[in-house]
Amino acid sequence: MANDIVNVEPDDSLKTWGWISYILHLIVAIGAVLPGAQASVALLLLALLIDFIKRDDAAGTWQATHFSWRIRSVLWAGLLYILTSWLWLLFLVPGWIAWSLISLWFLYRIVKGMIRMNGSRPTEPKDVI
């Protein structure tokens, strides 16, 4: 019951911060997928910082799931990039394939979150841990 989402009307500024974060994440995600369009790591870190700072303000609202969703997306993608980085050292093509799949997964997560936020819905059902 500690993870239940309460119907509390969130502050409108949370939605604004959420959209800013999603747009920054989207720029980075598109840059990761398109060759030659690499976005700055600074944008990703800025978006992650926004998510960590504003996550507590959103506690108990449907928007809290979005802040956690973006944080988990970045952390998992980073971990997967690190775990597959050795492929670049040994084999160029497998490294490129692995990082392309990770980048597409990250882009999917960001777009899915944006669609759900646009509908004022949480990113996942309340019974998912």
Side-chain angles (χ1 to χ4, degrees):
M1 297 284 178
N3 290 335
D4 286 346
I5 296 174
V6 180
N7 282 336
V8 176
E9 193 60 36
D11 183 4
D12 285 338
S13 69
L14 285 176
K15 198 165 191 176
T16 302
W17 282 112
W19 278 114
I20 290 169
S21 179
Y22 268 126
I23 290 168
L24 292 173
H25 279 92
L26 184 64
I27 292 168
V28 172
I30 290 172
V33 172
L34 296 177
Q38 293 298 319
S40 172
V41 174
L43 292 178
L44 183 64
L45 293 176
L46 177 61
L48 194 58
L49 183 64
I50 290 169
D51 291 334
F52 274 116
I53 291 173
K54 291 297 185 177
R55 179 175 56 173
D56 290 339
D57 294 345
T61 68
W62 62 267
Q63 290 182 0
T65 63
H66 288 275
F67 288 100
S68 295
W69 178 264
R70 290 187 301 264
I71 291 168
R72 285 193 323 268
S73 297
V74 170
L75 295 179
W76 275 110
L79 178 66
L80 291 172
Y81 282 132
I82 289 169
L83 290 175
T84 58
S85 62
W86 65 273
L87 291 172
W88 284 102
L89 300 174
L90 301 175
F91 314 102
L92 182 63
V93 173
W96 178 79
I97 291 170
W99 281 31
S100 294
L101 291 174
I102 296 166
S103 298
L104 286 171
W105 172 82
F106 183 68
L107 179 61
Y108 163 78
R109 297 251 317 172
I110 297 306
V111 170
K112 180 180 178 180
M114 291 176 85
I115 290 169
R116 294 191 64 79
M117 186 162 156
N118 190 47
S120 298
R121 296 179 299 173
T123 55
E124 47 199 31
K126 66 180 180 179
D127 56 349
V128 174
I129 296 176

